[in-house]
Amino acid sequence: MRIIVVGAEGDIGKVACEELGSRHEIIKAGRSSGDIQVDMADRASVDAMYAKCGKVDAVISTAGNVHFGPLADFTEETFMLGLRHKVMGQVNLVLAGLSNVGDGGSFTLTSGVLDRDPIRMGAGAAAANGALGGFVLGAAIEMPRGLRINVVSPSLLDVSVPRYGEWFPGHEPVSSKRVGLAYAKSVEGAITGKVIIVE
Ligand SMILES: NC(=O)c1ccc[n+]([C@@H]2O[C@H](COP(=O)([O-])OP(=O)(O)OC[C@H]3O[C@@H](n4cnc5c(N)ncnc54)[C@H](OP(=O)(O)O)[C@@H]3O)[C@@H](O)[C@H]2O)c1
């Protein structure tokens, strides 16, 4: 398969590429990293990415910034950051990608643990994750041409503990290998409309 991975050079992106890279052609995308540059929060940039890379069999997103901060300090602007980047960015990849993914292909998005096991300062991320679960459920039943869509929702990855571990007291990190397998399950398997929890 020909697979585009947006966020390929991030912690989760690397894990997904490692799992799928030996069996498939991977096109790596990021704002400044990878083979193709895209800002998924900007629909015109996403359209340009698809025009450049041509038809693919699968789209994986492992990108999506959110603002972390105390609930009382959130502003409309900081809250919107997660909705604009993590939610609309990934929705943009799907809406723009509908005509660029071949018959029977798939979209695999990324959310995270915080809408089921919250941490302090994570309300923006929790809201974004919940929205993505709802989007995938709703979109799956309208996918044309046998296309599928899922969202991988991992706990904190073992490789990300040095960056984020202190924010996740009591959370047991999940093996990167198992997170990679979740992307393989979505791309190479048959399920659709699922939140694939890895914890
Ligand atoms: N790491 C974890 O343990 C973990 C666990 C659960 C959920 N998550 C979620 O998974 C997502 C990825 O996390 P991560 O830790 O892998 O992040 P990361 O290491 O910071 O990597 C993010 C990647 O996404 C790209 N990116 C960011 N914004 C983009 C945009 N607007 N358009 C295109 N590419 C963009 C970045 O590339 P450039 O720098 O080139 O833009 C980078 O390659 C986040 O939403 C995070 O909340 C992470």
Side-chain angles (χ1 to χ4, degrees), residues 11-193:
D11 283 359
I12 299 188
K14 282 183 188 152
V15 162
C17 292
E18 201 173 306
E19 177 58 40
L20 290 160
S22 60
R23 300 185 293 282
H24 306 285
E25 179 194 349
I26 305 282
I27 304 159
K28 299 180 177 180
R31 278 170 310 186
S32 56
S33 54
D35 310 314
I36 294 186
Q37 273 57 65
V38 64
D39 179 357
M40 67 181 190
D42 174 357
R43 173 63 190 255
S45 174
V46 173
D47 287 336
M49 175 194 78
Y50 281 123
K52 199 166 176 184
C53 76
K55 287 271 182 202
V56 293
D57 301 294
V59 177
I60 294 176
S61 164
T62 58
N65 289 352
V66 290
H67 176 77
F68 284 89
L71 181 66
D73 294 349
F74 265 95
T75 62
E76 183 174 349
E77 192 183 342
T78 54
F79 204 88
M80 276 302 292
L81 190 129
L83 300 183
R84 192 165 65 249
H85 285 259
K86 188 162 184 173
V87 181
M88 266 324 291
Q90 298 194 82
V91 170
N92 279 338
L93 293 176
V94 175
L95 298 183
L98 285 173
S99 52
N100 284 276
V101 178
D103 295 358
S106 66
F107 296 94
T108 305
L109 311 183
T110 300
S111 58
V113 67
L114 296 182
D115 61 332
R116 60 180 183 279
D117 195 359
I119 60 169
R120 286 190 190 90
M121 303 201 287
N129 293 348
L132 287 162
F135 172 67
V136 159
L137 189 71
I141 62 168
E142 290 194 67
M143 283 278 145
R145 300 182 289 104
L147 298 181
R148 298 178 300 103
I149 179 167
N150 299 294
V151 58
V152 175
S153 179
S155 299
L156 177 66
L157 272 70
D158 49 15
V159 292
S160 299
V161 169
R163 285 167 74 193
Y164 306 121
E166 66 186 286
W167 296 1
F168 287 75
H171 284 235
E172 184 175 0
V174 68
S175 105
S176 298
K177 174 71 184 167
R178 289 185 53 231
V179 174
L181 288 172
Y183 290 89
K185 182 183 282 186
S186 179
V187 171
E188 299 176 323
I191 59 174
T192 190

